[in-house]
Amino acid sequence: MTDSVVTRFAPSPTGFLHIGGARTALFNWLYARKRGGKMLLRIEDTDRERSTEPAIAAILDGLKWLGLDWDGEVVYQFTGAARHREVAEQLLAAGKAYRCYATPEELTAMREKARAEGRTRLYDGLWRDRDPSEAPAGLKPTIRLRAPQQGETVIEDQVQGRVVWLNENLDDLVLLRGDGNPTYMLAVVVDDHDMGVTHIIRGDDHLINAARQKQIYDALGWDLPNMSHIPLIHGPDGSKLSKRHGALGVDAYRAMGYLPAALRNYLVRLGWSHGDQEIFSTEEMIAAFDLSGIGRSAARFDFAKLESLNGHYIRHSDDQSLVTMFEDVLDYVPNGSDVKAKLNETTRAQLLQAMPSLKERAKTLIELIDSAYFIFADRPLEIEPKAAGLLTPENRELIGRLRLALEAVTPWTAATTEAAMRAFAEMSNLKLGTVAQPLRVALTGRTTSPGIFDVLAVLGRQECLARLGDQAPS
Ligand code: GLU
């Protein structure tokens, strides 16, 4: 295919994979998959001081968890430094760049002057046309782009439309620092070109960089990739996204018990729409995704919506995969290791059996873990204060009698235990609820639980009779 699409996700490993980055990755992934192209992953680690190994690991891990795979090997930008230098030298040789010997003091003075005069071009062109023989001794020069001083730089952005900058407002960019290290702006252009990137999809905080990068592309005679700058994610009130509003790492969403499929579905709708469809399977997302569906206004992060989507995905997941996800998430949640220690063949089977009932109520895997508590609880059960009030002497006595009635039930299923309880209630002249509530407390230690007959069936005869025995008068 001649017009094969190549996108890339290019995170700087200075922190975790935050939610905005995850959305950018998703959009790039979807676009590549939709067009039968490739999505590459480039770790932009040129800032040696701020890039860390744990951040790289968190990014790779977050992408994998979200199910966003990339094509080929991960590219580490820093390894291309020699190539970036070569391109800067090439521009120098062609007269499209020049050596700048301005001292830090001179640069500061220029900046202050420009700011005082309200100009956005900060560098005054001091060395643009000056003869290098005038260079002060001992000062390592930077290499700057000889950017056009008149005319316009235009980006035809797929999301923002036609964006125009007056060249008189743009600086002669530094391409290579005095220490010979390439700047981020040069590295991005060279890498995108060398990696064959055809489409750049990223946050609109990079829009001004698109103009700067376009000038480098022009100087090199390279074609500019197709550009899409997506509006950033804001908080529910329209302000900058704060931690409280969801500006967290993808790992935090995993620890909060969200399913990757639900988060993907939530993220795709943050800033992109397809009619009024809200729920998208991965295949549907790939089929429907297009740049034209990306809106121009900032998307607002809404935890309630994410939660309700997650509940939908939990309800529609099959029971066995929920058991697997339940187990996986235990490594990421507080006290997960306590539950993990109690996972064995029996409790796994009980969890699977309880799942149809558990999954109806849970909006997150955390809620699922919480409501499965009764499976893993040790005898004698810890009784919640609210539930303890129900264990009156009368009710304890009732529990004792009920225990006797249940002892005779065989086989032990939700249906047979239900029949036995109904018969018991009738015989005792009590409403079913009057019997069920103390029973629930004795079996789960709480006043709320999945359906009581499910609880009976899941725990099995022996455990139920033992728990009832614990609360019955001795
Ligand atoms: N490394 C940049 C960032 O993490 C992205 C650069 C780009 O997409 O061009 O914000």
Side-chain angles (χ1 to χ4, degrees), residues 298-472:
R300 295 189 180 200
F301 196 90
D302 177 354
F303 257 119
K305 194 167 162 198
L306 171 58
E307 223 173 56
S308 101
L309 256 183
N310 204 52
H312 170 93
Y313 275 88
I314 288 181
R315 283 193 300 284
H316 288 83
S317 294
D318 73 83
D319 300 337
Q320 185 54 60
S321 20
L322 282 170
V323 171
T324 308
M325 288 191 264
F326 181 106
E327 284 195 39
D328 290 347
V329 84
L330 292 176
D331 289 332
Y332 301 92
V333 302
N335 304 329
S337 53
D338 298 348
V339 177
K340 201 169 171 174
K342 290 183 180 153
L343 274 175
N344 54 42
E345 222 175 290
T346 312
T347 52
R348 275 194 189 95
Q350 288 176 314
L351 196 53
L352 186 62
Q353 193 185 351
M355 206 49 92
S357 162
L358 295 176
K359 74 183 183 186
E360 281 310 312
R361 294 153 222 264
K363 291 216 197 65
T364 66
L365 293 175
I366 304 301
E367 289 182 13
L368 203 65
I369 294 171
D370 184 59
S371 60
Y373 150 90
F374 71 94
I375 295 174
F376 303 98
D378 287 322
R379 286 185 44 227
L381 255 53
E382 207 179 296
I383 310 287
E384 263 186 2
K386 200 164 80 181
L390 277 165
L391 292 177
T392 56
E394 254 165 52
N395 277 343
R396 285 185 189 273
E397 197 257 335
L398 179 75
I399 289 169
R401 282 191 290 125
L402 181 58
R403 184 178 178 283
L404 284 177
L406 286 171
E407 228 173 359
V409 173
T410 69
W412 185 274
T413 66
T416 57
T417 52
E418 175 170 359
M421 264 190 66
R422 284 187 187 282
F424 173 84
E426 206 169 306
M427 215 178 62
S428 322
N429 244 332
L430 294 170
K431 286 200 185 118
L432 189 64
T434 314
V435 182
Q437 210 46 3
L439 176 66
R440 187 186 311 281
V441 173
L443 292 181
T444 70
R446 299 187 182 177
T447 52
T448 52
S449 77
I452 193 65
F453 307 116
D454 290 326
V455 170
L456 280 160
V458 165
L459 288 175
R461 174 205 301 272
Q462 206 184 343
E463 182 67 19
C464 286
L465 295 181
R467 289 188 188 187
L468 293 176
D470 290 340
Q471 306 306 334

Side-chain angles (χ1 to χ4, degrees), residues 63-98:
L63 289 174
K64 281 184 205 151
W65 177 72
L66 261 181
L68 304 181
D69 53 349
W70 55 91
D71 295 284
E73 298 289 319
V74 180
V75 174
Y76 291 88
Q77 187 157 60
F78 186 65
T79 59
R83 164 73 179 147
H84 305 144
R85 270 193 286 279
E86 176 189 301
V87 172
E89 298 291 343
Q90 189 184 317
L91 285 170
L92 197 59
K96 304 222 160 135
Y98 60 92

